[in-house]
């Protein structure tokens, strides 16, 4: 629909790029891990590499570390790219430009939810299960499903962005162009101003008014927090510390 290349904020490109890079690496190594230790639903002749699960876990961890920052950005500065209160009504306008834009917002939101599911289910797994041949665990099946969902969500995300903005939109995430007001040298000043506003009580309005997007953001961030805490508590219980 668009012929000119839109400008994407530098911070968005950095967060989106790092998340995407780590995620793609995690997806590829996830299949290699499945191919090495499982393969019940088909496999390809990849080399047997017993350390691939640890490499997959490392890429998953890097994704988990950067994801919260990306979530906060997406639900605040990038809010217009996600589902809106009137999105369901716009779905009735089939074939119109707003219909495609709405579908794009749904796929963007779906990608965030799919990644949350993948990261949470992966964090619930034990790294010793697959080497021991323990393939019956529920969280392992959940993580396998999350892999399929995540691949599908990424495909839809790319297809819908291509449909809405074409090649210019896809390439806008790769451009090196930086506007003056978007340069990193200004970030310390912007962070300092933000911190001053926080101390003055600006944080009280962060989640107001309460909307569906705010609830979704809290749910995703809470899931990430729980994904960190539960394994620690489990190990503490097993060690007799709790």
């Amino acid at each position: 629909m668009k012929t000119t290349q839109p400008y994407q904020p530098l911070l968005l490109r950095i967060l989106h790029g790092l998340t995407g890079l780590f995620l793609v690496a995690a997806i590829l190594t996830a299949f290699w891990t499945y191919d090495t230790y499982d393969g019940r639903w088909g496999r390809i002749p990849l080399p047997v590499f017993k350390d691939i699960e640890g490499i997959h876990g490392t890429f998953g961890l890097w994704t988990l570390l950067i994801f919260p920052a990306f979530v906060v950005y997406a639900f605040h500065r990038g809010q217009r790219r996600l589902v809106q209160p009137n999105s369901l009504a716009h779905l009735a306008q089939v074939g119109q430009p707003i219909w495609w834009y709405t579908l794009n917002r749904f796929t963007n939101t779906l990608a965030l939810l799919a990644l949350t599911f993948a990261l949470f289910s992966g964090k619930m797994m034990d790294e010793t299960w697959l080497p021991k041949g323990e393939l019956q665990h529920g969280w392992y099946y959940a993580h396998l499903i999350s892999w399929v969902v995540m691949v599908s969500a990424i495909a839809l995300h790319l297809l819908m962005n291509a449909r809405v903005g074409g090649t210019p939109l896809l390439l806008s995430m790769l451009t090196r162009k930086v506007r003056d007001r978007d340069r990193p040298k200004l970030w310390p000043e912007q962070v300092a101003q933000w911190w001053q506003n926080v101390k003055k009580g600006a944080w009280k309005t962060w989640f107001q008014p309460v909307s569906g997007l705010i609830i979704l953001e809290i749910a995703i961030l809470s899931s990430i927090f729980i994904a960190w805490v539960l394994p620690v508590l489990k190990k503490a219980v097993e060690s007799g510390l709790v």
Side-chain angles (χ1 to χ4, degrees):
M1 295 179 184
K2 295 182 179 178
T3 57
T4 58
Q5 187 178 86
Y7 177 79
Q8 306 293 350
L10 179 59
L11 184 57
L12 171 62
R13 278 179 275 159
I14 292 174
L15 293 174
H16 185 278
L18 289 176
T19 302
L21 179 64
F22 297 150
L23 176 58
V24 169
I27 287 174
L28 294 176
T29 53
F31 184 83
W32 197 346
T33 300
Y34 158 82
D35 200 70
T36 297
Y37 289 103
D38 195 341
R40 286 173 289 176
W41 296 280
R43 64 198 327 160
I44 59 178
L46 292 172
V48 176
F49 184 36
K50 297 298 184 180
D51 293 331
I52 190 62
E53 186 188 16
I55 296 175
H56 166 65
T58 299
F59 285 126
L61 177 61
W62 289 350
T63 308
L64 183 61
L65 289 172
I66 195 68
F67 187 51
F70 183 54
V71 169
V72 172
Y73 185 98
F75 279 91
H76 292 274
R77 294 190 63 181
Q79 187 182 74
R80 63 185 177 85
R81 304 168 191 265
L82 304 177
V83 291
Q84 304 296 311
N86 56 2
S87 289
L88 289 178
H90 287 158
L91 286 179
Q93 303 178 40
V94 179
Q96 298 297 317
I98 189 60
W99 186 70
W100 290 107
Y101 284 116
T102 300
L103 287 179
N104 184 44
R105 287 168 176 150
F106 270 105
T107 57
N108 292 343
T109 308
L110 174 63
L112 292 175
L113 291 172
L115 182 49
T116 303
F117 177 35
L119 292 173
F120 188 89
S121 60
K123 203 71 172 66
M124 294 300 104
M125 287 184 58
D126 190 310
E127 64 273 12
T128 65
W129 289 348
L130 299 187
K132 291 180 179 179
E134 298 178 7
L135 307 178
Q136 76 284 1
H137 294 280
W139 281 118
Y140 173 57
Y141 285 113
H143 199 50
L144 285 177
I145 294 171
S146 76
W147 185 89
V148 177
V149 173
M150 191 71 253
V151 171
S152 302
I154 291 177
L156 288 173
H157 173 65
L158 292 175
L159 286 173
M160 290 308 305
N161 275 276
R163 179 62 179 82
V164 168
T167 303
L169 178 59
L170 296 177
L171 294 180
S172 67
M173 282 293 181
L174 303 176
T175 182
R176 298 174 60 183
K177 180 181 178 181
V178 180
R179 293 177 179 174
D180 289 339
R181 68 173 183 273
D182 205 19
R183 295 190 179 280
K185 66 180 182 180
L186 299 177
W187 291 356
E189 179 182 344
Q190 294 169 355
V191 170
Q193 182 61 48
W194 172 82
W195 181 242
Q196 287 297 324
N197 292 335
V198 169
K199 291 194 293 185
K200 292 178 181 178
W203 59 272
K204 297 178 182 178
T205 63
W206 286 353
F207 298 108
Q208 295 179 2
V210 176
S211 64
L213 276 181
I214 291 296
I215 295 174
L216 187 59
E217 178 188 6
I218 293 174
I220 291 177
L221 293 176
S222 298
S223 298
I224 296 172
F225 176 75
I226 294 172
W228 282 109
V229 172
L230 279 185
V232 174
L233 290 178
K234 180 182 178 181
K235 289 184 178 180
V237 170
E238 291 175 349
S239 302
L241 300 176
V242 176

